[in-house]
Amino acid sequence: MSDNTVLIRNLSDHESSEVRLLGWIEKRRSSGKIGFLEVRDGSGTVQAVISRAKVDEATWQAVQDVTQESTVAVVGTVAADARAPSGFELHATSVTILSLTEDYPITPKDHGTAFLMEHRHLWLRSSRQRAILRVRSEVSHAIRDFYSERDFVLIDSPILTPAACEGTSTLFATDYFGEPAFLSQSGQLYLEPAAAAFGKVYCFGPTFRAEKSKTRRHLTEFWMVEPEVAFLEFPGLCDLAEEFITYLVARVLDRCAEPLKRLERDQSKLESVQGPFPRMRYREAITTLADHGKILEFGDDFGAEEETILANLHDRPLMITHYPAKAKAFYMQPDAEDEDLALALDVIAPEGYGEIVGGSQRVHDHELLLRRIKQHDLPEKAFQWYLDVRKYGSFPHSGFGMGLERFVAWMTGIPHLRESIPYPRMLHKIYP
Ligand code: 4AD
C-alpha cells in the first residue's frame, strides 16, 4: 500500500494534495470527455472526476470498463466542492481496476425485501443498511460505556445451558454429549450468582428464542443487555432503566447525526426522550385500554396492538409495572401489598416500537423460589445451583433485559427488526 493512501473520511486533512483511495464503485457515469466515479471505502463516499484530456489511455479505459461494486485504486488531487455531500471531490489522475465485478445482483432499481434478504451479505453495502448498522455499533459501544462508567462488572453468560429461563415454549434444544442442552434465552440466571460476587454486573450477548410466529418485532437470535444489581429493589430498578434509556438516546443523537439524516429519522421524536418517563401499573393500563375500546381480563398479556395504544398516549417511553404474577416468569418477586402482582417492569417505546425492556425484582426467599419452580413444572435438579444463590447469603436483587435490535429499530425508525442486525435469524430463515 503506497504511503499516500487515505480514508475518504479524512479527505479534509488533504485538501489540494495528491492521495490514493482504495474502494468500491457505487456508480459510474461517463460522457465522451469526462467520467464520474462514486467511490466508497467504508469510511465514506466521494466522487472522483476524470477528465479524458488529463489522464493516460489505460485510466480512461478503466473508467469505461469499471462496473458497480468493482474494487479500484484511484489517485488524484483532493478539491473542495461545496455541492459534494462530503464537501470534497477527487480530481483523479489514475484509476486502476483491482477486481472487476460482473453481474452484481443488487442494482439501483427497486428490489423486493425477500430478494434483498437472500442477498443480505451484499445488501450490507447499501447506504441505508450502512446507516442502520452504524447506529447499532454506536449503541453497542454506548451500552458498554454506560455500565463500565457505573462500575458494573461484565459477566459473560454461557450460550449452552441445561435449563430454560424464559419459559419452555421457545427453547432451541441441542444434544450435549448425550444430555439435552438449550441455547440461552437470557443470561439472567447466571448473572444473579455473579451479583453476589461483584454487586453490580451485566451481560451483553446473543440470546435465542424459537419464536414460532412471524412478526416484525421478533427474531430467533437477538442481542440482549442485562444488568443485575444486588440490594437493588424495584423502585431503583425502574430508575436504572430510565437512566439507561435516556443515556443511550442522548448518545445516538450526539454521535449518529449522519446516519440518522440518511435514514430521514425525525430526530425531534428522539429529543423528547427525557426523564421522568410516565409510569403506570398494569391495572391502570387495563382501565386505559378499556377506555380505548380494548377489553382485557386481569391476567391477559398485552399484544403489539395494546402496547401501541398505550405507547401512543406518550412522547417518551412508558413504564408498565405490577403485572399479574401468573402471567410472568417464575423468578419474579411478588408485591408485598398484593401477592397476585409481580414486581415486574416492561418499558414500551413510543412510535409503536413495542416492549424494549423487561425486568423485575427477583424472588430471594429460598422456599418461595422452590415452590415457584415446582408450580412452573421446571426441573428442580437443573435449578439447584440457582437456588444456591438464596441458600448462601440471600439478598434482594433486581435486573432487566433490553433487546438491542428493538432499541436500534426505534432509534433508526425502521419498521422491521430484520434490518437492525447484520444477519437476521427468523422463522425458517437462516441463509446467508
Ligand atoms: O422480557 P424478556 O423476555 O426478559 C428476559 O429475558 C429477562 N430474563 C431479562 C432480565 O430480566 N434480565 O426480554 C427482554 C427484552 C425484551 O424487552 C425485548 O426488548 C427483547 O428482550 N426481546 C426480543 N427481541 C427480539 N426478538 C425477540 N424474539 C425478543 N424477545 C425479547
Side-chain angles (χ1 to χ4, degrees):
M1 205 180 276
S2 95
D3 280 341
N4 64 346
T5 301
V6 299
L7 290 175
I8 292 171
R9 187 203 306 128
N10 299 333
L11 283 180
S12 60
D13 299 338
H14 301 278
E15 195 177 340
S16 307
S17 307
E18 186 177 83
V19 299
R20 186 168 86 133
L21 301 179
L22 297 172
W24 293 259
I25 296 293
E26 287 215 322
K27 277 191 209 132
R28 184 194 77 94
R29 260 181 321 123
S30 172
S31 70
K33 288 185 183 152
I34 192 149
F36 299 95
L37 300 179
E38 244 171 67
V39 184
R40 179 192 77 241
D41 72 350
S43 79
T45 306
V46 72
Q47 176 166 270
V49 184
I50 306 98
S51 166
R52 183 172 194 173
K54 292 189 188 158
V55 298
D56 60 25
E57 198 45 38
T59 286
W60 187 249
Q61 198 52 51
V63 173
Q64 305 311 302
D65 293 344
V66 78
T67 51
Q68 186 196 348
E69 291 305 321
S70 292
T71 34
V72 288
V74 184
V75 177
T77 306
V78 180
D81 184 316
R83 290 162 305 174
S86 66
F88 293 91
E89 61 176 24
L90 196 71
H91 294 164
T93 50
S94 138
V95 175
T96 312
I97 299 176
L98 304 177
S99 166
L100 189 69
T101 285
E102 280 174 45
D103 305 323
Y104 188 67
I106 304 180
T107 57
K109 73 167 193 183
D110 269 351
H111 296 283
T113 308
F115 177 87
L116 291 168
M117 288 305 269
E118 282 287 295
H119 295 86
R120 183 63 178 164
H121 53 300
L122 303 177
W123 193 21
L124 294 179
R125 302 182 189 192
S126 81
S127 66
R128 180 182 151 84
Q129 299 308 312
R130 277 168 13 230
I132 298 166
L133 294 179
R134 272 200 189 280
V135 173
R136 178 187 169 102
S137 169
E138 186 59 44
V139 173
S140 290
H141 284 293
I143 286 170
R144 295 188 163 96
D145 289 345
F146 179 86
Y147 289 111
S148 103
E149 284 165 15
R150 284 158 185 76
D151 296 323
F152 281 66
V153 174
L154 175 66
I155 296 295
D156 299 311
S157 49
I159 301 287
L160 287 167
T161 64
C165 176
E166 293 301 320
T168 46
S169 64
T170 62
L171 281 173
F172 277 115
T174 183
D175 171 75
Y176 194 75
F177 306 110
E179 297 279 324
F182 309 98
L183 300 186
S184 176
Q185 297 168 308
S186 159
Q188 178 197 324
L189 303 190
Y190 294 92
L191 283 180
E192 292 183 47
F198 298 100
K200 298 196 279 185
V201 292
Y202 78 106
C203 65
F204 182 27
T207 47
F208 306 85
R209 304 222 181 148
E211 303 278 2
K212 310 282 182 335
S213 58
K214 251 190 183 166
T215 85
R216 59 194 183 88
R217 291 182 186 170
H218 289 92
L219 298 169
T220 54
E221 178 176 325
F222 62 97
W223 279 60
M224 182 152 52
V225 51
E226 299 176 83
E228 191 71 35
V229 184
F231 299 106
L232 184 73
E233 301 198 30
F234 192 62
L237 179 76
C238 298
D239 293 345
L240 179 67
E242 183 179 293
E243 187 188 349
F244 180 47
I245 293 168
T246 47
Y247 177 97
L248 294 184
V249 174
R251 175 83 166 250
V252 168
L253 283 167
D254 184 39
R255 302 218 187 153
C256 297
E258 214 178 288
L260 293 183
K261 191 164 160 238
R262 164 62 189 85
L263 295 163
E264 298 174 12
R265 180 70 170 110
D266 179 353
Q267 296 186 36
S268 69
K269 293 245 161 59
L270 301 181
E271 281 155 9
S272 47
V273 181
Q274 308 276 350
F277 295 166
R279 296 180 187 194
M280 185 187 256
R281 288 180 173 226
Y282 173 88
R283 276 190 212 279
E284 196 190 330
I286 295 268
T287 312
T288 309
L289 285 168
D291 293 344
H292 287 78
K294 274 263 146 213
I295 310 297
L296 265 75
E297 299 277 328
F298 180 84
D300 287 349
D301 213 354
F302 303 141
E305 204 188 329
E306 288 81 19
E307 285 176 358
T308 304
I309 294 173
L310 294 168
N312 282 347
L313 304 171
H314 305 278
D315 64 348
R316 57 200 73 196
L318 168 67
M319 300 179 123
I320 306 182
T321 63
H322 299 82
Y323 281 84
K326 278 216 168 89
K328 288 287 183 184
F330 74 97
Y331 53 70
M332 293 188 176
Q333 174 75 7
D335 181 8
E337 284 161 27
D338 182 348
E339 298 270 307
D340 289 340
L341 301 180
L343 294 179
L345 162 75
D346 280 357
V347 182
I348 316 292
E351 302 178 75
Y353 282 95
E355 185 205 306
I356 47 170
V357 162
S360 72
Q361 185 168 330
R362 323 302 191 189
V363 171
H364 61 276
D365 179 77
H366 185 274
E367 289 316 301
L368 176 58
L369 186 61
L370 188 58
R371 253 194 339 269
R372 286 286 168 81
I373 287 173
K374 286 179 179 156
Q375 279 162 0
H376 280 79
D377 270 337
L378 293 167
E380 196 184 315
K381 207 164 147 240
F383 286 95
Q384 272 315 319
W385 65 274
Y386 183 65
L387 282 156
D388 276 354
V389 180
R390 283 76 182 167
K391 202 166 156 192
Y392 304 114
S394 193
F395 54 106
H397 56 289
S398 305
F400 64 76
M402 186 190 83
L404 176 63
E405 290 74 18
R406 294 222 185 137
F407 187 83
V408 170
W410 170 37
M411 289 299 102
T412 53
I414 58 174
H416 200 299
L417 247 50
R418 65 189 161 212
E419 292 176 51
S420 64
I421 183 165
Y423 295 96
R425 267 73 183 102
M426 293 174 295
L427 187 64
H428 306 310
K429 288 236 174 309
I430 198 173
Y431 177 90

